[in-house]
Amino acid sequence: MEDASHELLKRVVKIKNPNGFHMRPKAAFVEAASRFASEVKLTWEGQVFNGKSMFELMLVAAGEDSEVTLEVFGSDSHLALQELEKVLAEEDVSVLD
Amino acid sequence: MRMSDFIVRSAIVPELNATDKEGVIRELLESLCRNGCFKDVDVEDIIKAVLKRELLGSTGIGDGIAIPHTKYSGVDKLVGVLGISPSGVSFGSRDGEPVFVFVLIISPVDQPVVHLRALETVSRVLRDDPLVKALRACTTADQLFEQMNQYSKM
């Protein structure tokens, strides 16, 4: 899945899920991020978190309509950005989280 | 937010007897129930709700820690309970390791941000390895609460 770009790519993503960026999307994010060689970081409220660590993402209590900055750097950064942005922006209206 | 804001001191289970996921969830919820945390609610219904949530993906976040949780319409405020399993329980955690430290959280359905903050608070406190070791060495609910509270203030 390499695209040989090695670019640092950044995207601000708004959380649309009414439950916020809760545990299930976090687990999906970590799983997706771990499939890429690129470094993945999330910035929320001025703090930077490793996007491949569930423990770190548990510290991101981003509610609905809040913004997080997704940052990827590495050989597959374009693909990673595309995929991870989708996971972050996903809406899920179920009560269970 | 601090853990002491929502962890019910009298409900803490210093030595869980359960040896499987359902047993742990049942033991923790029954303890909350005995301590008057649920009014006009069938505890079996909450057990089902937490187990249903587990089916969507384990809340075992690794490093011997799990945060089983659900939002539940029958509660009007966030409540949580801490429990320690001396021998560890297989919980389907991300790292495949058994879980020793459990923090179970039940939140009202209409307070998603409070729920997120509670999970964040628990994760922030339990990231501290020395604390987790200290919690596992405690033998009473009071010791566990004091230990947790001491770190939670930092």
Side-chain angles (χ1 to χ4, degrees):
Chain A
M1 294 247 300
E2 293 209 352
D3 54 23
S5 54
H6 272 92
E7 270 184 81
L8 171 66
L9 303 174
K10 256 187 189 186
R11 191 70 53 90
V12 175
V13 185
K14 189 178 258 197
I15 304 294
K16 293 179 187 161
N17 190 318
N19 290 316
F21 186 39
H22 62 84
M23 202 189 246
R24 273 191 298 127
K26 279 172 183 159
F29 187 92
V30 171
E31 203 182 308
S34 302
R35 288 200 295 268
F36 295 100
S38 293
E39 266 181 53
V40 178
K41 289 176 185 168
L42 270 190
T43 304
W44 174 71
E45 290 193 341
Q47 281 184 281
V48 184
F49 302 91
N50 175 359
K52 295 184 181 183
S53 160
M54 187 62 181
F55 238 114
E56 290 216 5
L57 289 197
M58 288 299 293
L59 308 179
V60 180
E64 185 185 17
D65 289 334
S66 59
E67 289 181 339
V68 294
T69 304
L70 169 63
E71 204 175 296
V72 290
F73 176 72
S75 56
D76 49 8
S77 54
H78 281 277
L79 286 170
L81 185 79
Q82 212 178 344
E83 178 76 21
L84 295 172
E85 195 182 353
K86 260 192 255 167
V87 178
L88 278 177
E90 200 171 300
E91 265 183 89
D92 173 5
V93 293
S94 75
V95 171
L96 287 170
D97 76 339
Chain B
M1 188 186 281
R2 290 179 178 174
M3 277 180 74
S4 55
D5 293 339
F6 56 90
I7 296 290
V8 180
R9 183 176 188 146
S10 55
I12 290 174
V13 185
E15 197 171 323
L16 287 159
N17 294 313
T19 54
D20 61 15
K21 181 181 274 199
E22 180 171 346
V24 168
I25 288 168
R26 179 174 290 280
E27 216 173 322
L28 292 171
L29 282 167
E30 283 175 347
S31 182
L32 280 174
C33 191
R34 273 196 308 278
N35 283 277
C37 297
F38 307 128
K39 290 185 185 83
D40 306 321
V41 170
D42 178 3
V43 71
E44 290 299 323
D45 199 42
I46 311 187
I47 292 169
K48 270 186 213 154
V50 176
L51 287 172
K52 194 172 167 191
R53 164 59 188 84
E54 285 295 322
L55 286 176
L56 301 173
S58 175
T59 56
I61 57 174
D63 293 343
I65 294 158
I67 316 175
H69 60 264
T70 196
K71 298 198 187 82
Y72 190 77
S73 56
V75 298
D76 55 11
K77 69 168 190 169
L78 170 70
V79 287
V81 57
L82 172 66
I84 307 292
S85 167
S87 49
V89 174
S90 169
F91 215 74
S93 293
R94 304 183 56 77
D95 59 4
E97 297 296 323
V99 174
F100 298 91
V101 179
F102 294 89
V103 179
L104 182 142
I105 294 171
I106 307 293
S107 323
V109 287
D110 57 352
Q111 297 175 24
V113 174
V114 170
H115 182 76
L116 284 173
R117 287 283 180 193
L119 290 169
E120 178 222 332
T121 301
V122 173
S123 307
R124 181 167 33 79
V125 172
L126 296 183
R127 274 178 97 199
D128 190 295
D129 278 344
L131 170 64
V132 173
K133 285 195 183 99
L135 290 176
R136 288 182 59 189
C138 292
T139 53
T140 67
D142 283 342
Q143 280 176 7
L144 279 162
F145 189 84
E146 293 304 335
Q147 196 68 252
M148 176 202 82
N149 215 13
Q150 200 181 322
Y151 276 78
S152 198
K153 280 178 189 161
M154 287 165 67

